[in-house]
Amino acid sequence: MGKNVVVIGTQWGDEGKGKVVDWLTEHAQGVVRFQGGHNAGHTLVIGGKKTVLRLIPSGILRPSVRVYLGNGVVVSPTALLQEIGELEGAGIEVRSRLAISPACPLVMPYHVALDQAREAAMGETRIGTTGRGIGPAYEDKIARRALRVQDLFYPDRFAAKLERVLEYHNFVLTQYYKCEPVLYRQTLDATLALAPAIQPMVADVAALLQAARRAGESLLFEGAQGALLDIDHGTYPYVTSSNCVAAAAAPGAGIGPQMLDYVLGIVKAYMTRVGTGPFPTELTDAIGTQLAKRGNEFGSVTGRPRRCGWLDIPALARSLQLNGVDGLCITKLDVLDGLPSIKVCTGYRVGGEPVALLPTGAEAVAACEPVYEELPGWSESTFGVKSFEALPATARAYLRRIETLTGVPIAMVSTGPDRDETILVHHPFH
């Protein structure tokens, strides 16, 4: 019997999920994306060569692994085919290995226009989206007016649906945002022209995953963004537009929750956040600048600089509860090399009262004052270290302290971006 593992980001995204998924797929026959769209940015480095995946699951770089886009993913036809072309240009076979659910909502040009118009109108209060139309595409799904992948193959049906939805969105674009409309005929022709290239990859993903389970295959479910950006449980409204907690793998891929056997939570050794929103442990001093520089903290999709801060245990504890995390993978430990001391936020104070867990909503989080515990740093390099015992004693103590504070064991430690720069403590698939 195979074993299914969910890999989830436990912070505000950018934890290093892609590298970990790629490493784990040596033991999996399939990798499944179940939410988000091409707003993800999963960076893989193999043999020194860097690849950034936005929509295609990270298992694609393993030749024997099949990859799936579940119904919970929103798909831009243009972005999909562009990414496939980039991978094929690097010699990677995609089309015969990718299965796309026919129920995936489409990200269309009017979604991009709405996303960008909305962010521009909000000015300083903007959410900080990637501007790629992901949020508006999910809005159409919930409003039951979305065009879906399956509509692409019925031109008359597609045209009629597009005409209705575009009339609505163009009214908002022109009358409210005072922007140019999105042209119907141009959008129709350009989108339908992509349908023949997409159709051979469309399949009943939910049925395929059930068949894989019956065949004893192991599957890996790849989360995008991070739990603190979850539409329900994150720092609302400064969140993404989908549920990105582990449980979302079930409805987002079309499987029962009993098929999820193990949850691996990816934890960066410090905190980062892109865009606006509260960040209790944010560092605006020289240490924050040093973490950003050493950690190359720039978004792989947008290129925007990431804000940096100390590890936040109350936020992490909330995330671990939400996701039912079985084991941790600590990433970017090497970025802390050389710091004389390291702070860890162990709690908050709000109005003078102690608070042990990240509260609900942005306003409540913004009121939190961090309470720190200071730990000794280490001068030795941890970059590329491949065994736990080879880490400096104080680095090991830092990791053990994280285990104690969270109550969750460490399964893996990433000590560099390359596939083999990984310490295995306990294998999630075993």
Side-chain angles (χ1 to χ4, degrees):
M1 173 66 83
K3 185 175 183 180
N4 296 337
V5 173
V6 187
V7 173
I8 214 79
T10 62
Q11 296 155 310
W12 283 295
D14 308 307
E15 299 94 351
K17 296 178 291 293
K19 177 246 170 111
V20 178
V21 169
D22 170 72
W23 190 91
L24 286 170
T25 45
E26 186 178 359
H27 298 266
Q29 286 72 54
V31 179
V32 189
R33 278 279 307 272
F34 55 87
Q35 48 78 218
H38 63 300
N39 56 338
H42 293 171
T43 303
L44 314 179
V45 180
I46 296 150
K49 184 177 179 183
K50 179 179 173 181
T51 303
V52 178
L53 298 172
R54 297 170 291 278
L55 189 57
I56 306 294
S58 297
I60 198 66
L61 298 189
R62 301 268 187 181
S64 61
V65 173
R66 190 160 173 75
V67 294
Y68 306 85
L69 293 180
N71 54 275
V73 177
V74 290
V75 173
S76 161
T78 307
L80 172 70
L81 293 175
Q82 179 183 338
E83 190 167 337
I84 290 173
E86 291 169 1
L87 289 166
E88 289 175 337
I92 298 162
E93 169 56 31
V94 179
R95 292 169 202 256
S96 64
R97 298 164 53 208
L98 173 62
I100 305 168
S101 170
C104 289
L106 296 176
V107 181
M108 298 290 288
Y110 48 83
H111 294 133
V112 178
L114 283 165
D115 201 356
Q116 295 178 359
R118 188 178 296 162
E119 286 284 283
M122 291 175 75
E124 290 300 313
T125 62
R126 65 189 181 278
I127 303 297
T129 75
T130 59
R132 298 189 171 206
I134 309 300
Y138 274 116
E139 290 175 41
D140 273 2
K141 173 184 175 177
I142 299 303
R144 292 167 291 190
R145 58 173 174 254
L147 289 160
R148 306 207 294 183
V149 165
Q150 62 193 146
D151 294 320
L152 286 169
F153 317 119
Y154 301 90
D156 291 344
R157 183 171 90 191
F158 187 90
K161 288 185 175 184
L162 176 65
E163 187 171 22
R164 286 195 300 272
V165 75
L166 195 50
E167 180 182 9
Y168 170 76
H169 286 312
N170 273 338
F171 180 84
V172 176
L173 281 168
T174 59
Q175 302 305 305
Y176 186 77
Y177 290 115
K178 310 302 180 187
C179 294
E180 292 297 313
V182 173
L183 302 178
Y184 167 74
R185 177 54 60 179
Q186 181 180 320
T187 303
L188 177 66
D189 293 346
T191 307
L192 289 180
L194 304 177
I198 294 171
Q199 189 162 18
M201 296 178 282
V202 177
D204 187 338
V205 167
L208 290 173
L209 297 179
Q210 293 290 345
R213 179 71 159 183
R214 288 194 299 271
E217 295 183 4
S218 292
L219 299 170
L220 201 151
F221 293 81
E222 178 180 16
Q225 290 82 50
L228 302 183
L229 293 173
D230 183 271
I231 184 67
D232 289 310
H233 301 288
T235 50
Y236 191 90
Y238 301 100
V239 290
T240 194
S241 44
S242 60
N243 287 114
C244 39
V245 291
I255 60 165
Q258 76 276 12
M259 279 181 62
L260 306 175
D261 300 311
Y262 183 100
V263 179
L264 181 68
I266 314 301
V267 182
K268 194 179 283 188
Y270 52 99
M271 304 290 282
T272 61
R273 180 163 200 166
V274 171
T276 45
F279 186 172
T281 65
E282 183 173 10
L283 292 167
T284 55
D285 58 7
I287 295 176
T289 303
Q290 179 182 337
L291 293 177
K293 185 177 179 182
R294 291 199 59 187
N296 191 30
E297 296 295 354
F298 297 92
S300 52
V301 170
T302 63
R304 290 179 296 179
R306 299 178 188 136
R307 301 149 63 194
C308 296
W310 297 118
L311 187 64
D312 186 333
I313 296 297
L316 187 55
R318 174 70 76 182
S319 183
L320 300 183
Q321 288 180 9
L322 291 170
N323 289 288
V325 169
D326 296 294
L328 306 177
C329 175
I330 308 296
T331 63
K332 289 201 164 183
L333 181 67
D334 56 289
V335 175
L336 301 179
D337 292 355
L339 290 175
S341 64
I342 297 166
K343 290 183 179 179
V344 178
C345 172
T346 57
Y348 305 132
R349 295 195 77 80
V350 177
E353 295 297 317
V355 174
L357 278 175
L358 188 79
T360 301
E363 294 85 357
V365 175
C368 292
E369 298 174 15
V371 176
Y372 288 112
E373 176 180 305
E374 194 158 351
L375 301 170
W378 53 89
S379 56
E380 307 95 318
S381 173
T382 63
F383 186 84
V385 172
K386 294 176 182 152
S387 76
F388 196 83
E389 295 71 27
L391 290 170
T394 45
R396 294 198 305 271
Y398 179 66
L399 296 174
R400 293 303 185 206
R401 187 62 180 145
I402 293 172
E403 286 185 315
T404 300
L405 290 168
T406 61
V408 179
I410 289 173
M412 300 168 62
V413 181
S414 173
T415 56
D418 212 305
R419 187 183 273 169
D420 13 336
E421 291 165 346
T422 304
I423 296 170
L424 179 64
V425 181
H426 169 75
H427 206 298
F429 275 112
H430 295 167

